[in-house]
Structures are given as structure tokens and as C-alpha cells.
Amino acid sequence: EDKVVQSPLSLVVHEGDTVTLNCSYEVTNFRSLLWYKQEKKAPTFLFMLTSSGIEKKSGRLSSILDKKELFSILNITATQTGDSAIYLCALTGPTGTASKLTFGTGTRLQVTL
Amino acid sequence: NAGVTQTPKFQVLKTGQSMTLQCAQDMNHEYMSWYRQDPGMGLRLIHYSVGAGITDQGEVPNGYNVSRSTTEDFPLRLLSAAPSQTSVYFCASSVRATNEKLFFGSGTQLSVL
């Protein structure tokens, strides 16, 4: 069974800190790894990573995939209280079909003043 | 910009009752799906549809039915509710089945007593 493990399970940091969230997996045959942010309710898309070693950036958030070591990290610099959320990692199947997404259980991030 | 709309937001059922969770999207997406989210288990796929008139089972389909008579709507039916179906349910869509970027609705919190 495909397995996606996220760590830490939860994290509390102070505003301004930098955090690194981890996503490791046991699947070797997949097309993409995706990161989502879940505030209150609906997960919202952050990044899709297909190639190893290429960093994706969006403002203070960045992510990279290491297909050799089977993990991805999501970095958030200069955290703000609005970054408080659950961050979800998901793997696609080998053909990238939407129906084959395997989600991790998420990392709950709380940013305090 | 409505996106993916789910109703109701909250529902309490008694064991054995039936109900339908509604999902509608206005983005002309071909692919629609239903997930459930339980503590410590991540998002799990219940049913999905790659287009009008086509549905298929996901990872946890038992106790649920779906239909896709139009591109816009994808209702999820609970046939005879059980306490094990207490969960948060998310509807998600994407442009097509080969596009892994999902757009999620805001969820339905269901309690079965």
C-alpha cells in the first residue's frame, strides 16, 4: 500500500520563525507530489512538484522534491499568523491521474505572536 | 467565483437514516470526486467521476452511492447512515482526470448518532 508520512504531526512557532515541513513516502513510481494548505475547511493548492531538485517558490513558501531520498520539504520563511493551518502532502499515481492521489495525514502548524 | 459548492455545511443524522450531500462546480471541470477526512487518517477517496455519466469507486466506497447526470453536479448519497460514517466530507474537482490539481469545496461535517 502506498504510504505518505508527514512530520512533524504538529508544530508551534513564533511569528517570524522559519519552519520546514517534511513529507516522506515509500512509493517510487509516481508522477507528481502536491502540497495543499488547509485552513478551517477547504484545502487549497500550493505546489505541484514533478522533477527532483527543482525548487518551486511562491512568496515566503518554497518546496523541493528529492526522488532519490524519497522526500519533499515545504519551507515557510518569516512565518505569519495567517500561515497557521494544516499542510497536506499528496502523491499521484504513475500516470498522474487525479483519482490516484494518496494523502498524508498532514502537519498542523500554529504560528503565535 | 463560486468554484466548488457543497451543501449542507453541517448535518446530524440518526443511524439508519439516508441523506444526500450536494456538490456543484461552475468551472466546467470534467473530473469530480468525494473524499472523507478523519483524524489521523488523511483524506481518503470515496467515489469519483471522470465525466457526465461515468462514475467509479475509490478507496472507501462502501455505504455510499454517487451519480453524475450533469457536468456540474456530483451528489453523494448515504444509503443507511452508520456511526462509522461520522466524518468531514469534501468534494473536489479538476479540469480533467489527468490533471492532479484539485479544487476543494468547503466541506460537510456529518455526525451520525
Side-chain angles (χ1 to χ4, degrees), chain A residues 31-32 36 38 41-42 96 98-99, chain B residues 31 37 40 45 97 100 102 105-106:
Chain A
R31 195 174 93 101
S32 305
Y36 284 85
Q38 186 175 17
K41 284 293 184 182
S99 63
Chain B
Y31 178 86
Q37 187 175 36
L45 182 63
E100 311 96 313
L102 290 174
S106 56

Side-chain angles (χ1 to χ4, degrees), chain B residues 23-66:
Chain B
C23 175
Q25 51 89 12
D26 62 358
M27 299 175 283
N28 201 31
H29 283 178
E30 291 181 357
Y31 178 86
M32 296 185 75
S33 56
W34 277 100
Y35 284 86
R36 60 179 288 173
Q37 187 175 36
D38 302 292
M41 299 202 70
L43 287 158
R44 291 183 293 167
L45 182 63
I46 304 171
H47 284 286
Y48 65 95
S49 168
V50 299
I54 306 169
T55 63
D56 207 344
Q57 296 181 350
E59 181 185 353
V60 288
N62 292 341
Y64 308 95
N65 270 357
V66 292

